[in-house]
Amino acid sequence: MMIPDGIEDEDKWLTAGIAGLQQNAFYMHRALDTNNLKDALKYSAQMLSELRTSRLSPHKYYELYMRAFDELRKLEMFFREEAKRGCSTIELYELVQHAGNILPRLYLLCTVGSVYIKSKEAPAKDVLKDLVEMCRGIQHPVRGLFLRSYLSQVTKDKLPDIGSEYEGDADTVMDALEFVLQNFTEMNKLWVRMQHQGPAREKDKREKERNELRDLVGKNLHVLSQIEGVDLEMYRDTVLPRVLEQVVNCKDELAQYYLMDCIIQVFPDEYHLQTLEILLSACPQLQPAVDIKTVLSRLMERLSNYAASSAEVLPEFFHVEAFAKLSNAIGQVIEAQVDMPIVGAVTLYSSLLTFSLHVHPDRLDYVDQILGACVGKLSGKGKLEDSKATKQIVTLLSAPLEKYNDIETVLKLSNYPRFMEYLDDGTNKVMANVIIQSILKNKTCISTADKVEALFELIKGLIKDLDENLDDEFDEEDFNEEQSSIICTVKKHILTGGTKRLPFTVPPLIFNSLKLVRNLQGQDESVSGDELSANPKKIFQLLNQTIEALSTVPASELALRLYLQCAEAANDCDLEPVAYEFFTQAYILYEEEISDSKAQVTAIHLIIGTLQRMHIFGVENRDTLTHKATGYSAKLLKKPDQCRAVYACSHLFWVEGHENNKDGERVLFCLKRALRIANAAQQMANATRGSSGSVMLFIEILNKYLYFFEKGNSHITLDSIQGLIELITTETQSETVTPDPAADAFFASTLRYIQFQKDKGGAVAEKYEPIKKGGSEKAWIIFNLQDT
Amino acid sequence: NYIIGAFKPACNISITFSDGKTRKQVPLKKENGKTVMVPLFQSQENIAGKISVEPVQGKKVEHNGIKIELLGQIEMYFDRGNFYDFTSLVRELDVPGEIYERKTYPFEFSTVEMPYETYNGVNVRLRYVLKVRNYTPPPSINTSIKMEVGIEDCLHIEFEYNKSKYHLKDVIIGKIYFLLVRIKIKNMDLEIRRRESTGSGANTHVETETLAKFELMDGAPVRGESIPIRLFLSPYELTPTHRNINNKFSVKYYLNLVLVDEEDRRYFKQQEVTIYRLADTS
């Protein structure tokens, strides 16, 4: 047999077929007009012989078939009239079977068969059974499918359905069912068989043709769904098992996918709900290549919509344990189909999640369970590279957000954050964005630190470099741009928090922003244009506002620390005015808000420490700030605190590595001032307790002396050091002093250090050489103190 | 017209059967292809009627006596003109004399033995000068035909015909099961073949003709398929099976199942069935 290659040839054959058909139809009409039964049968058989062709593709064959179909309607009418005129239908039924060629014979048989049923001369079921059985003679897939589709077409209004005129006595709906099921089974077999026929090289073409024919098969399921008498019980016990048996056994992926989908689409939701177990049990038995995820997704989608349609149906969902069954089935399918791409699994879980959110909105544990199962599937595979899968995960993770409109609820899901490590950086950011958008939209407030922590764990993709090896194509500018805008967003959100939350939420924001600033700083100069929002200056502005919000809490100590942090960062960015502004803010806070003495001590040390590291300030600004700092130090409540703060201030004038920032004179000034305060402290102690206070402060100051001495501050003289040592020695040996082992130990170590330096030899040793251990030159020291 | 008149028979002879109006008439195909209706008799019947001889207007017919003969003949077409009479009955109706006007004679052959049916074959014809048909009661034993056939590792089929003996208006019901299919079958037909053997011994001549070609299946079945058979015999011009009629001839019928593959190779299995004539119920 010639296989047509060209469409042109096919068109020619179709034209020829139509011509032959029309010619015989003409003679048939003439016979019908003259009531010549014999000729009518002869010409109708010849007309139908055109359908015996093997040369047409299903598409063209359909065209021919439709023409024959129309002609057969006329013949059917004629037969009906013949029957009215007294011609017995059974005789007609026999007569048409005399045709020698099987295809015309069976078309005629089906036509008369439908008249036969209508005449009610025989029970409908017998005729139906005979017809469906006789059609087995056509084993050619395309011709068989069309013949059986014709059979289905002419009998569908004559099935012994409940309430139909053909029902009764021997004819029951079961017979109708049996008939349709058998026709369906045979059609499916023919359809599946198509793929094995013909040369292998035309496989694609055949698949395409099969696709064109699928609705002929599916139509049977539609007919089944239209049978009134099929109630739930019958569907569960007969229809579904039989259809599924055929679906599973045909072992054909195209058919399985299409038919599963058909089942889901044509039968009512409540049937699906009540037969979930049966339907789902078929899924793991399907061929591995079947796109089962789409099938199940559609099912869940339908059920979700059903659940959403009316609250009344929900109890049924609970009753049949729909969730457990679906969840179970998905697990099995994923387990059974080892090769299923990850996107498939995620899609399935995503659908299940949607279902669960619709049906069991109150069952957060279900959601978490689904997420857990899904993330379990991801584990051990590293970051996902399939972009479809990651997209699907975003859908999956977005669903609970959309449903609950509340990040707090989502944060309760323990498995939720586990996804992040499997997402690439881009997706992580997308996801973080989704989360933040949700928070913003719903103006959610977060009430506990744990949750904030959890939230930031989720959105860290925005804040942290997750991948050190950035792509070459990676656009830093965009990245920063994006980060900066995200920070704005986070800030907006965070600032909506109440006084109890802000102390917890602000610091992470600040530090992450600073990280971004540092990142910006590390880049090309050109990036930091003013027009960009990712501009350090702008970020600092933002931070300033953010920290200010803390004042309402109030959490001034925290705010102060943050100001200082920012100042330091600004320092690194060479933004003097900004840094100065932050310091100003910190000072204002110190002056106005920090009243507790202990807090003041801590604060002043922080200020000093920070200020010491600042190197961008010009002389004027620096003077102002250091002056203030020393001023604050001297004003602390307790003498020892004053003393310690003041000697700490000495470092403000001596910054290693910055030669223009080494002012030995002022260092000495600070140290002397510290000495004076220490002295005063001791006198105060003498006055109040009758005994001298600890020499600790002196020892500490001595250490400062030694430090600066060693660093080469020429204003620190050997004499002054020697004097201090003498003073301390005298004090410790004085009888009024309270024994202080800690001070003794400290002093001893200090002396040991001096000795150590001497022993080292070289320049350092020379420097230290003149220093001697204690004498008694107290007066001299006092003189010196007063001298300054 | 004298000349034409000269060749005209001298008289018209007509025969009427006494039950001529009620007797069943059946079509009979003559050698020239035309079909005429002839009365139908069966064995053991009385054949009675009248014969009338009427001279052409104004003439007299001289005869050497009038007699009526009932002949059962077998004629071999290869030996045309040579009739073998297996039955010959004679009734004398009149003594020699002259007939001037129409004269009618009654006749009767009672309970005539007509053992064989009239048969028109390819090479042989059995005829009575009267048409005779014999009816057979339904056979008491009529088993189905069931057979598994095939070609090793290539094609295994099992077929089943519901009976081994069919009457002329019968329906052949059956089924073909495909147990193994390794060839690409295009279609499958059921043929009815008639095998007529004439003569005897060295002179035996066998002629086979296909009377029916009935398509059973279109396309290639797969293993496990079963194809129904339902063949109505009535449209075909069959005769009963004849076995060794007077040592002159036999007629046998066969059902031939033919499978044709895509390369047009034919695979077939022939199986004899007996055809018999069942008395009409009408």
Side-chain angles (χ1 to χ4, degrees):
Chain A
M1 173 118 346
M2 286 274 294
I3 304 285
D5 287 323
I7 294 174
E8 250 173 60
D9 285 347
E10 221 190 302
D11 281 336
K12 233 158 50 193
W13 285 318
L14 176 62
T15 314
I18 291 173
L21 190 140
Q22 280 172 337
Q23 194 188 359
N24 285 304
F26 171 77
Y27 289 122
M28 182 186 87
H29 292 163
R30 221 163 56 175
L32 297 182
D33 291 344
T34 54
N35 283 332
N36 186 338
L37 179 62
K38 208 174 135 220
D39 277 3
L41 292 180
K42 179 179 150 197
Y43 289 114
S44 56
Q46 281 180 21
M47 170 185 86
L48 290 165
S49 287
E50 296 295 341
L51 289 175
R52 298 175 72 208
T53 180
S54 295
R55 289 172 157 173
L56 299 177
S57 67
H59 194 69
K60 303 266 190 239
Y61 191 87
Y62 176 75
E63 211 171 300
L64 200 59
Y65 164 83
M66 279 317 290
R67 285 169 192 267
F69 183 86
D70 291 341
E71 297 301 337
L72 285 172
R73 297 281 61 71
K74 293 169 194 158
L75 191 65
E76 187 187 338
M77 264 162 60
F78 172 75
F79 287 153
R80 221 176 289 164
E81 279 162 22
E82 281 289 287
K84 272 188 211 152
R85 276 196 290 271
C87 175
S88 107
T89 327
I90 178 92
E91 273 171 29
L92 259 179
Y93 196 71
E94 183 190 322
L95 213 49
V96 293
Q97 294 186 65
H98 294 174
N101 281 321
I102 184 160
L103 192 68
R105 184 196 324 146
L106 292 176
Y107 270 105
L108 290 174
L109 190 68
C110 292
T111 312
V112 180
S114 88
V115 177
Y116 196 13
I117 299 173
K118 221 174 161 62
S119 76
K120 296 181 191 154
E121 285 176 32
K125 73 164 177 185
D126 292 347
V127 182
L128 290 173
K129 207 170 165 187
D130 190 51
L131 291 174
V132 80
E133 188 63 27
M134 291 311 284
C135 284
R136 281 175 185 276
I138 306 299
Q139 293 289 320
H140 184 277
V142 175
R143 293 195 284 272
L145 281 170
F146 276 97
L147 171 70
R148 286 185 178 273
S149 143
Y150 178 72
L151 171 63
S152 166
Q153 185 70 26
V154 295
T155 53
K156 71 176 180 194
D157 56 345
K158 301 177 185 73
L159 300 175
D161 190 6
I162 281 182
S164 144
E165 54 177 310
Y166 306 102
E167 190 220 3
D169 298 337
D171 293 313
T172 67
V173 67
M174 277 309 277
D175 298 311
L177 216 57
E178 200 55 43
F179 168 75
V180 181
L181 279 171
Q182 198 184 339
N183 203 34
F184 162 72
T185 306
E186 293 299 326
M187 282 179 88
N188 191 46
K189 279 178 2 194
L190 289 173
W191 186 45
V192 169
R193 201 190 294 168
M194 250 183 100
Q195 63 179 315
H196 305 299
Q197 299 185 344
R201 69 193 144 82
E202 287 176 17
K203 194 168 188 310
D204 287 350
K205 188 176 151 228
R206 274 200 305 278
E207 290 294 283
K208 190 176 148 269
E209 291 180 351
R210 283 192 64 203
N211 241 327
E212 288 171 359
L213 290 170
R214 62 180 195 177
D215 286 342
L216 296 182
V217 184
K219 195 80 200 290
N220 286 297
L221 296 181
H222 185 72
V223 172
L224 277 177
S225 75
Q226 299 298 103
I227 297 179
E228 291 283 328
V230 176
D231 53 11
L232 175 60
E233 199 184 331
M234 206 175 278
Y235 176 75
R236 187 188 57 216
D237 298 340
T238 309
V239 177
L240 187 59
R242 289 275 300 275
V243 173
L244 285 180
E245 186 192 0
Q246 177 58 29
V247 171
V248 169
N249 289 343
C250 78
K251 295 194 169 26
D252 174 69
E253 52 188 89
L254 188 69
Q256 289 184 334
Y257 173 70
Y258 172 72
L259 293 175
M260 285 302 278
D261 198 38
C262 252
I263 295 172
I264 291 167
Q265 302 305 330
V266 301
F267 293 107
D269 297 317
E270 58 262 41
Y271 285 13
H272 290 320
L273 191 57
Q274 299 295 341
T275 56
L276 261 185
E277 213 161 339
I278 308 174
L279 187 60
L280 293 175
S281 68
C283 293
Q285 301 176 60
L286 301 180
Q287 298 300 101
V290 173
D291 184 8
I292 190 72
K293 68 166 197 301
T294 311
V295 172
L296 282 177
S297 299
R298 295 241 177 104
L299 174 64
M300 287 185 272
E301 193 182 317
R302 268 203 76 155
L303 290 178
S304 301
N305 291 339
Y306 180 51
S309 69
S310 155
E312 286 163 25
V313 301
L314 283 179
E316 267 313 305
F317 279 87
F318 306 142
H319 180 69
V320 303
E321 293 173 330
F323 176 80
K325 284 174 185 167
L326 285 169
S327 172
N328 207 3
I330 287 172
Q332 280 177 2
V333 165
I334 291 174
E335 208 175 301
Q337 301 199 359
V338 187
D339 298 331
M340 184 194 276
I342 201 80
V343 60
V346 178
T347 312
L348 280 176
Y349 285 119
S350 186
S351 305
L352 180 61
L353 185 69
T354 314
F355 171 81
S356 173
L357 291 173
H358 269 110
V359 181
H360 304 284
D362 53 330
R363 297 296 297 264
L364 210 55
D365 55 329
Y366 283 174
V367 178
D368 207 29
Q369 190 184 324
I370 298 165
L371 293 176
C374 186
V375 84
K377 185 74 191 156
L378 298 177
S379 67
K381 295 209 167 74
K383 282 198 189 298
L384 274 178
E385 281 170 11
D386 177 0
S387 66
K388 279 188 197 149
T390 48
K391 245 183 216 149
Q392 201 56 51
I393 289 182
V394 171
T395 315
L396 176 82
L397 294 178
S398 307
L401 281 171
E402 278 159 24
K403 175 69 185 179
Y404 295 114
N405 281 330
D406 180 8
I407 186 72
E408 283 222 48
T409 313
V410 175
L411 290 175
K412 281 183 205 152
L413 301 167
S414 64
N415 287 313
Y416 200 91
R418 289 175 62 202
F419 278 92
M420 298 304 164
E421 64 172 295
Y422 302 109
L423 298 176
D424 57 48
D425 295 351
T427 317
N428 251 317
K429 272 179 264 174
V430 171
M431 205 47 238
N433 227 335
V434 170
I435 293 169
I436 291 163
Q437 293 293 349
S438 155
I439 296 172
L440 282 175
K441 199 176 87 200
N442 302 299
K443 302 197 171 26
T444 322
C445 296
I446 296 172
S447 54
T448 70
D450 286 351
K451 284 187 181 159
V452 176
E453 183 60 41
L455 172 64
F456 273 86
E457 187 58 33
L458 288 181
I459 62 173
K460 69 184 174 191
L462 289 177
I463 294 157
K464 186 169 124 182
D465 277 350
L466 290 169
D467 190 353
E468 276 132 35
N469 308 317
L470 295 173
D471 284 350
D472 290 341
E473 297 163 33
F474 184 81
D475 189 335
E476 294 248 0
E477 204 168 302
D478 281 358
F479 169 72
N480 290 321
E481 194 69 11
E482 187 192 314
Q483 289 232 317
S484 143
S485 65
I486 297 297
I487 284 172
C488 283
T489 320
V490 177
K491 183 207 126 194
K492 262 190 264 167
H493 156 63
I494 283 180
L495 292 189
T496 58
T499 54
K500 283 185 183 155
R501 294 182 189 103
L502 281 174
F504 302 102
T505 54
V506 170
L509 172 64
I510 303 286
F511 282 102
N512 281 303
S513 309
L514 293 181
K515 221 178 254 178
L516 169 65
V517 169
R518 231 163 279 148
N519 187 38
L520 284 170
Q521 196 58 26
Q523 289 167 30
D524 249 32
E525 292 295 314
S526 63
V527 175
S528 44
D530 276 344
E531 72 280 3
L532 293 172
S533 65
N535 171 328
K537 223 180 221 170
K538 293 212 171 140
I539 296 174
F540 282 124
Q541 258 169 28
L542 216 72
L543 294 182
N544 202 347
Q545 293 161 10
T546 313
I547 302 171
E548 226 177 287
L550 283 177
S551 61
T552 59
V553 173
S556 34
E557 287 161 59
L558 178 63
L560 182 118
R561 283 162 190 263
L562 294 175
Y563 279 134
L564 293 177
Q565 283 286 349
C566 291
E568 199 178 340
N571 175 68
D572 295 341
C573 294
D574 285 324
L575 292 170
E576 188 186 348
V578 176
Y580 189 78
E581 171 66 18
F582 278 119
F583 259 96
T584 315
Q585 294 290 346
Y587 282 2
I588 293 171
L589 271 185
Y590 180 84
E591 284 174 23
E592 293 178 358
E593 304 289 343
I594 298 178
S595 47
D596 177 66
S597 65
K598 270 186 190 151
Q600 280 181 342
V601 172
T602 317
I604 196 69
H605 279 283
L606 284 169
I607 291 173
I608 295 166
T610 311
L611 188 55
Q612 200 268 341
R613 285 196 293 274
M614 307 294 283
H615 52 77
I616 43 155
F617 289 134
V619 181
E620 200 176 320
N621 280 342
R622 191 174 174 83
D623 276 356
T624 317
L625 293 174
T626 46
H627 182 76
K628 282 260 187 192
T630 33
Y632 294 147
S633 303
K635 280 184 201 125
L636 289 171
L637 185 64
K638 292 179 182 160
K639 288 284 177 194
D641 292 338
Q642 280 180 14
C643 173
R644 288 186 173 111
V646 169
Y647 72 63
C649 282
S650 65
H651 287 285
L652 294 178
F653 306 106
W654 191 273
V655 181
E656 282 297 315
H658 291 267
E659 290 309 312
N660 56 355
N661 209 349
K662 283 186 181 171
D663 188 342
E665 199 177 339
R666 293 182 75 172
V667 170
L668 184 63
F669 176 79
C670 283
L671 294 179
K672 280 190 173 167
R673 196 162 174 187
L675 270 176
R676 267 207 311 276
I677 299 167
N679 210 24
Q682 203 173 29
Q683 281 170 4
M684 226 158 80
N686 275 333
T688 49
R689 285 178 295 190
S691 68
S692 31
S694 168
V695 289
M696 197 55 132
L697 287 172
F698 291 108
I699 306 170
E700 287 169 19
I701 296 166
L702 170 62
N703 273 283
K704 290 287 165 201
Y705 266 87
L706 286 173
Y707 170 81
F708 288 110
F709 175 69
E710 215 175 292
K711 293 288 174 195
N713 183 342
S714 55
H715 290 82
I716 306 295
T717 59
L718 274 170
D719 287 347
S720 53
I721 294 172
Q722 191 65 57
L724 253 177
I725 294 172
E726 294 296 333
L727 171 72
I728 296 162
T729 318
T730 320
E731 281 296 321
T732 45
Q733 287 162 359
S734 126
E735 284 169 14
T736 52
V737 83
T738 344
D740 182 351
D744 289 347
F746 188 19
F747 186 53
S749 348
T750 310
L751 293 177
R752 253 202 320 277
Y753 173 75
I754 295 169
Q755 189 57 47
F756 174 73
Q757 294 294 63
K758 281 182 188 170
D759 292 347
K760 259 207 303 208
V764 184
E766 262 173 50
K767 236 179 160 180
Y768 274 93
E769 195 47 47
I771 302 177
K772 291 177 202 79
K773 284 185 193 170
S776 52
E777 289 179 47
K778 189 182 169 187
W780 183 82
I781 298 288
I782 300 300
F783 166 80
N784 268 317
L785 285 171
Q786 281 162 352
D787 184 44
T788 38
Chain B
N1 195 322
Y2 178 79
I3 296 178
I4 292 176
F7 290 95
K8 273 186 178 171
C11 61
N12 290 323
I13 301 168
S14 64
I15 300 170
T16 52
F17 295 102
S18 49
D19 51 0
K21 280 181 184 149
T22 52
R23 178 158 295 276
K24 187 171 181 175
Q25 303 243 324
V26 289
L28 178 75
K29 215 176 235 170
K30 289 174 72 176
E31 276 165 86
N32 59 10
K34 282 189 180 157
T35 307
V36 293
M37 296 302 284
V38 297
L40 182 68
F41 292 90
Q42 58 178 312
S43 194
Q44 309 294 337
E45 272 193 298
N46 290 335
I47 302 171
K50 285 174 188 160
I51 190 161
S52 64
V53 181
E54 188 180 10
V56 179
Q57 195 75 43
K59 296 224 171 138
K60 65 168 186 181
V61 176
E62 278 181 71
H63 63 88
N64 298 324
I66 297 174
K67 61 182 179 183
I68 183 162
E69 256 184 312
L70 176 67
L71 296 175
Q73 300 177 319
I74 295 172
E75 179 187 15
M76 304 289 183
Y77 292 164
F78 59 83
D79 190 15
R80 210 160 263 268
N82 236 339
F83 300 105
Y84 169 78
D85 295 347
F86 57 87
T87 296
S88 176
L89 296 171
V90 184
R91 295 282 180 275
E92 298 286 346
L93 296 179
D94 204 353
V95 293
E98 288 181 347
I99 298 173
Y100 299 96
E101 56 187 355
R102 180 192 168 106
K103 199 167 178 191
T104 302
Y105 309 91
F107 67 90
E108 180 169 358
F109 302 97
S110 35
T111 53
V112 185
E113 185 72 27
M114 289 180 284
Y116 310 125
E117 274 204 6
T118 302
Y119 173 74
N120 277 297
V122 185
N123 290 321
V124 65
R125 165 166 83 170
L126 185 150
R127 64 170 185 179
Y128 294 89
V129 179
L130 297 160
K131 173 106 181 164
V132 172
R133 216 176 241 190
N134 284 341
Y135 299 112
T136 321
S140 53
I141 299 169
N142 197 351
T143 52
S144 66
I145 298 174
K146 206 168 179 178
M147 207 168 276
E148 197 181 323
V149 294
I151 307 161
E152 200 172 341
D153 294 333
C154 183
L155 178 72
H156 284 195
I157 61 171
E158 188 182 300
F159 63 81
E160 187 179 342
Y161 305 129
N162 61 336
K163 299 175 191 170
S164 48
K165 294 166 184 161
Y166 292 95
H167 63 79
L168 294 172
K169 297 277 156 53
D170 217 342
V171 190
I172 300 174
I173 305 283
K175 213 152 207 183
I176 296 133
Y177 303 93
F178 285 84
L179 306 176
L180 176 76
V181 191
R182 294 236 176 95
I183 51 172
K184 288 179 174 170
I185 297 171
K186 200 163 71 180
N187 61 355
M188 175 168 71
D189 293 337
L190 187 61
E191 293 175 345
I192 302 175
R193 288 159 79 84
R194 177 160 69 191
R195 191 162 161 275
E196 181 186 287
S197 62
T198 47
S200 59
N203 288 328
T204 308
H205 191 85
V206 178
E207 190 78 29
T208 307
E209 52 183 329
T210 302
L211 300 179
K213 188 165 180 284
F214 187 76
E215 194 181 16
L216 289 179
M217 184 183 74
D218 168 26
V222 294
R223 205 171 72 160
E225 285 293 349
S226 65
I227 307 297
I229 304 173
R230 185 188 294 152
L231 173 56
F232 290 91
L233 296 180
S234 58
Y236 306 104
E237 292 176 5
L238 305 181
T239 68
T241 297
H242 297 301
R243 291 183 206 282
N244 198 17
I245 302 299
N246 242 2
N247 279 328
K248 287 288 174 192
F249 72 98
S250 294
V251 177
K252 288 182 178 175
Y253 284 90
Y254 295 89
L255 290 180
N256 193 25
L257 188 68
V258 184
L259 289 115
V260 184
D261 74 5
E262 285 188 347
E263 271 102 55
D264 283 328
R265 281 189 289 254
R266 290 160 63 86
Y267 307 81
F268 59 87
K269 177 68 191 174
Q270 200 158 285
Q271 187 63 33
E272 191 190 344
V273 289
T274 306
I275 307 287
Y276 65 95
R277 190 186 298 280
L278 193 66
D280 291 0
T281 45
S282 55

